[in-house]
Amino acid sequence: MKQQVNCKMILFTAIIMLFVSTITLAQVPPTGKYNTANYPEDRKAIEALGMINDSTVYLNDDYIAVGPEGKVSYGFEEWKKGFTDKGATFKSVTPRPGTYILRVYNGDAAVKNMILDVLFATPGGDMSITVIRTETYIKQNGKWYFVGGQGTKLASAEEMQQMIKK
């Protein structure tokens, strides 16, 4: 009897997790809800920051990053060191279609949200994760800077199951 109740509970939980993970993966921003066309020149400048891989995109090294593992990096060099110390490099970063939103406020602040499929090359082999990413930008003295980034690893159904057990 007790085993039967446990099996039903496990089945119920698995169905709920499947439903929740399906909803999470299928979410896209509502059409027309956000202004994604204002400040077109500023948008181009913000996008160009992603093509530069040095400290000039950060305002006086005032960058704070939180990775999907929860590690906080204070400044570009510390963030970069976290990768090089582990021998990791970005192999590819692919945005999920329909998840990208760049909002510009008053022409001097911006927030970017997206879901990314990220592939790292590591000494132990390739590592693949999906990250829900938020980035913050500020414009100072006519130039855009990247001032904050936070990535939340998208949990698999198995990981969600483990979180429910805790």
Side-chain angles (χ1 to χ4, degrees):
M1 177 79 165
K2 187 176 179 181
Q3 188 177 16
Q4 208 174 28
V5 171
N6 285 342
C7 286
K8 285 181 182 178
M9 192 61 160
I10 290 170
L11 180 60
F12 176 75
T13 303
I15 290 169
I16 293 296
M17 293 314 305
L18 181 62
F19 179 71
V20 168
S21 66
T22 303
I23 289 171
T24 302
L25 295 176
Q27 288 180 323
V28 295
T31 304
K33 181 169 175 67
Y34 301 103
N35 186 342
T36 57
N38 64 340
Y39 302 100
E41 294 305 312
D42 291 304
R43 290 172 178 283
K44 288 177 190 172
I46 292 166
E47 292 306 324
L49 292 178
M51 305 302 174
I52 303 168
N53 193 22
D54 65 32
S55 61
T56 62
V57 300
Y58 307 98
L59 178 62
N60 302 319
D61 203 30
D62 186 30
Y63 175 64
I64 298 173
V66 181
E69 76 288 353
K71 182 183 182 302
V72 180
S73 301
Y74 299 98
F76 172 73
E77 290 303 323
E78 185 176 324
W79 175 83
K80 188 175 163 184
K81 188 176 184 297
F83 282 93
T84 56
D85 284 356
K86 293 179 180 76
T89 57
F90 285 102
K91 206 167 180 180
S92 68
V93 178
T94 307
R96 290 260 178 108
T99 66
Y100 178 94
I101 306 171
L102 173 59
R103 293 167 289 150
V104 181
Y105 301 97
N106 302 320
D108 61 4
V111 177
K112 187 190 301 184
N113 300 92
M114 68 211 116
I115 299 176
L116 304 168
D117 292 315
V118 183
L119 182 62
F120 296 97
T122 72
D126 287 352
M127 178 180 78
S128 177
I129 62 171
T130 298
V131 178
I132 303 164
R133 180 92 177 137
T134 299
E135 297 177 353
T136 308
Y137 300 84
I138 191 159
K139 187 177 187 181
Q140 200 167 82
N141 299 321
K143 183 178 175 186
W144 281 98
Y145 295 95
F146 185 19
V147 294
Q150 193 272 326
T152 302
K153 182 182 174 292
L154 186 64
S156 68
E158 295 82 25
E159 290 166 327
M160 289 295 292
Q161 181 92 20
Q162 289 299 317
M163 287 187 259
I164 288 173
K165 288 180 182 177
K166 292 180 181 181

